[in-house]
Amino acid sequence: MTSHGQSVGGPAPSTGVEPTPGNERSSAGVVGTALSGRARGAVAIGIATVVLFLISALLAPQSVSSGAISAMLPFAAILAVVAIGQTLVVQQGGIDLSVPGVFSLSVVVVTKLASSGTTGAIVMAVIAALLISAVAGAVSGFVVARLNVAPIVATLGMNALLIGATWAVSEGAARRTPTGLSDVIGSTVLGVPVTVVVAVVLTIIVGVVVRLTPTGRIFEAVGANPRVAVAAGIAPLRYTLSAYSVAAVLYAVAGVLLTGIVNTPGISEGNTYLLPSVAAVVLGGTSLLGGKGSVLASLIAAVFFTQVDRLASTLGLAYGWQILIQALALGLGVAFHSGFRPGRTRRTAAVEEPRKPVEVS
């Protein structure tokens, strides 16, 4: 058992966890650096989003009309919820390819179990979708953390299982959204769509937990360097499990939100959210090496990509062009946030960045 304030593992990345008076100044400097990095990501994507809306106003004024923005925001909010979940996984140095399966299965479970339209049936259907997603995410996290399977392989396999379950439950047929669910999710709160309210609330909750609590700081430290975390007596397993499980729950929430604003959601709705969710996370400045991340920047990036799709549709561009634009933005985001050093790896980054003692209580 390591005593409070003891340095563990020699030179190691600072976690920002419980700094002692002796290292208060250095801890403050590290936290300041991390915050400035997060702020840069949020500011950069914020500026890019403003520029995008200005370009939209010049090329297709109808794409930024009040009606168009009102129609765009609910879908941007849904992408933002998915991106928040993806952010948590990326902060643990992974990537989640099970988004389509979790999202689509949640849609199917809710529309089938709540087909009667009663309040009780809707509540039970939503709970069932969230529980199934939490278990699926936990399994993915366990396979990654305990069995040392690459995140891409683990989540791709889980996605295949969930897609199969989606087809089995739906029997290949889409169902209408229960009226009670659409009445709630399709409504507004003080003129703001419920989907937007949910996205903002979730962003605040996740952001506060990750950035302002001891658990959140350890979460980021584990993602930044799991080996140092182990040397410090921290078990990465539970943090990895939490990341994948909470992320899957957020994908399910997004699926429920979509179900509430679409009359007859398809059984493959989740397919359109995988690439944009990863692109939003990267463009928001979350490090693909793990550790640092910003859910606020991911939310802004979700608005950016949704408006890109809206502009492309207004200009009459084919869907293929929209995918190419997303991929291009993803590549530019990686280049920008990596300092235009595409060959940089976790190992070289660890050598380049200054290391500080890990403090554990």
Side-chain angles (χ1 to χ4, degrees), residues 96-215:
D96 197 343
L97 301 186
S98 68
V99 171
V102 176
F103 193 105
S104 299
L105 182 59
S106 300
V107 170
V108 168
V109 168
V110 170
T111 53
K112 183 167 185 175
L113 297 184
S115 57
S116 64
T118 63
T119 301
I122 293 174
V123 171
M124 292 303 297
V126 171
I127 292 175
L130 297 181
L131 288 177
I132 292 172
S133 301
V135 172
V139 171
S140 295
F142 180 84
V143 172
V144 170
R146 183 63 71 185
L147 303 183
N148 294 320
V149 176
I152 291 179
V153 176
T155 56
L156 187 61
M158 177 57 68
N159 184 68
L161 291 175
L162 295 174
I163 291 296
T166 299
W167 280 88
V169 173
S170 66
E171 298 178 345
R175 296 173 180 267
R176 289 187 61 84
T177 298
T179 303
L181 185 63
S182 59
D183 289 343
V184 173
I185 297 178
S187 62
T188 61
V189 177
L190 300 177
V192 180
V194 168
T195 52
V196 175
V197 173
V198 172
V200 171
V201 170
L202 288 175
T203 300
I204 293 173
I205 292 175
V206 175
V208 168
V209 171
V210 172
R211 294 177 58 176
L212 300 180
T213 67
T215 299

